[in-house]
Amino acid sequence: MADQHANNRFADEATVEPDHIVRARAHALELGAAPVSPAVGAQCAVIAAASQALNIVEIGTGAGVSGLWLLHGSPRATLTTIDNEPEHLGVARKAFADARIPPARARFITGRASEVLPRMNEASYDIVLVDADPEGVIEYVEHGLRLVRAGGTVLVPRVLAGGAVADPVRRDPVTSAYRSLIQETQASPAVIGALSIVGEGLLQLTTRPAE
């Protein structure tokens, strides 16, 4: 376990964040909206870049750190980000303005994801990032898999729940939901799944084209 903590610390310290994301991270910590780690953010940026994403949905805006990482990876993309905390969205808007991201490339929606997502067009997005209330993670991932195009990717940070998922003794609802999500998607023929253990963990699910 000590080795894993050392690896995570090294990965975060080795990741060079752009200045505007460093500032957004500081604001997130002041706000109490825990941002994704630098290493996880960088992985999200690589996936956005590799998939040449143009349309991205983010469930859980926080203070904008993960959204900024996604757009850092795919500068031509348009991000739709959803959060039910107006204060968080306000801070994120300022972070995006500070990063000089054109307003047309970021759409901020105030509301509960469970109410917003059913109204969104299916198979219309390249990436869906799920970083909202963990109690709804399975529901949100199901929506995400519906929203992404064939070959699109759903990203779920914090999926290791601070180490709780790996502890067989932990059986609380949130831990059990994350554990089930990982196990079921790894076995699913509908997606190609990979679990990164860097930082707080990142589950990556890319949909397979229908045969």
Side-chain angles (χ1 to χ4, degrees), residues 32-125:
V36 297
S37 66
V40 167
Q43 286 188 31
C44 291
V46 167
I47 293 165
S51 60
Q52 298 182 340
L54 294 177
N55 294 292
I56 301 173
V57 174
E58 178 183 48
I59 306 169
T61 309
V65 172
S66 52
L68 289 171
W69 267 116
L70 287 164
L71 292 180
H72 178 68
S74 188
R76 295 193 301 126
T78 297
L79 174 74
T80 299
T81 183
I82 306 163
D83 204 295
N84 65 351
E85 293 287 348
E87 184 180 7
H88 291 185
L89 287 167
V91 173
R93 284 180 186 272
K94 291 180 181 177
F96 276 55
D98 177 55
R100 298 183 178 179
I101 293 172
R105 287 185 48 221
R107 179 187 180 204
F108 297 87
I109 299 178
T110 305
R112 294 185 178 279
S114 59
E115 298 173 358
V116 175
L117 294 172
R119 302 197 299 267
M120 301 181 76
N121 295 329
E122 64 181 54
S124 299
Y125 299 91

Side-chain angles (χ1 to χ4, degrees), residues 174-195:
V174 169
T175 301
S176 296
Y178 278 131
R179 190 178 291 128
S180 295
L181 175 64
I182 294 168
Q183 293 171 341
E184 290 176 12
T185 53
Q186 290 296 303
S188 172
V191 299
I192 299 172
L195 175 63

Side-chain angles (χ1 to χ4, degrees), residues 133-137 158-159 161 164-165 170-180:
D133 47 303
E135 293 81 4
V137 66
R158 309 183 207 275
V159 74
V165 168
R170 292 287 297 272
R171 297 183 181 274
D172 58 276
V174 169
T175 301
S176 296
Y178 278 131
R179 190 178 291 128
S180 295

